[in-house]
């Protein structure tokens, strides 16, 4: 899967699945190649990350999730910045 070809909404769907899984299970997240590829893509493409966050934030707000926790998860636990 080429994440560059996905819309921000489609990326947000992947993020939402990973986030709710991580928070529901309370375990160390899996490290599937697909998950790592998305994390690497978002970590290295700030504009894509920002657009995905905007799309995902709408879903999070509608479902009553903690936005600060979700953004921390995205930036620190899921997709830290790209190593230079």
């Amino acid at each position: 899967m080429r994440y560059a070809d996905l819309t921000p909404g489609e990326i947000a769907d992947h993020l939402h699945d990973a986030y709710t899984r991580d928070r529901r299970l309370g375990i160390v997240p899996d490290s599937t190649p697909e998950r790592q590829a998305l994390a690497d893509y978002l970590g290295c493409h700030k504009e894509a990350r920002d657009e995905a966050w905007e799309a995902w934030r709408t879903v999070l707000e509608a479902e009553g999730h903690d936005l600060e926790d979700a953004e921390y998860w995205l930036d620190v636990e899921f997709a830290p910045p790209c190593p230079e």
Side-chain angles (χ1 to χ4, degrees), residues 38-68:
L38 178 57
D40 291 346
Y41 174 72
L42 293 177
C44 292
H45 296 89
K46 182 173 175 10
E47 184 176 310
R49 179 256 179 238
D50 292 346
E51 290 173 356
W53 168 247
E54 288 302 315
W56 184 34
R57 189 172 73 190
T58 303
V59 174
L60 293 166
E61 288 174 335
E63 293 185 5
H65 290 279
D66 180 341
L67 296 181
E68 288 181 19

Side-chain angles (χ1 to χ4, degrees), residues 12 14-23 27 29 35 38 42 49 53 56 60 66-80:
H14 288 280
L15 291 174
H16 195 64
D17 289 345
Y19 175 74
T20 55
R21 181 185 182 283
D22 286 2
R23 291 304 188 242
I27 60 171
R35 181 185 173 113
L38 178 57
L42 293 177
R49 179 256 179 238
W53 168 247
W56 184 34
L60 293 166
D66 180 341
L67 296 181
E68 288 181 19
D69 179 62
E71 191 167 27
Y72 176 87
W73 173 87
L74 175 60
D75 291 340
V76 176
E77 296 177 27
F78 185 77

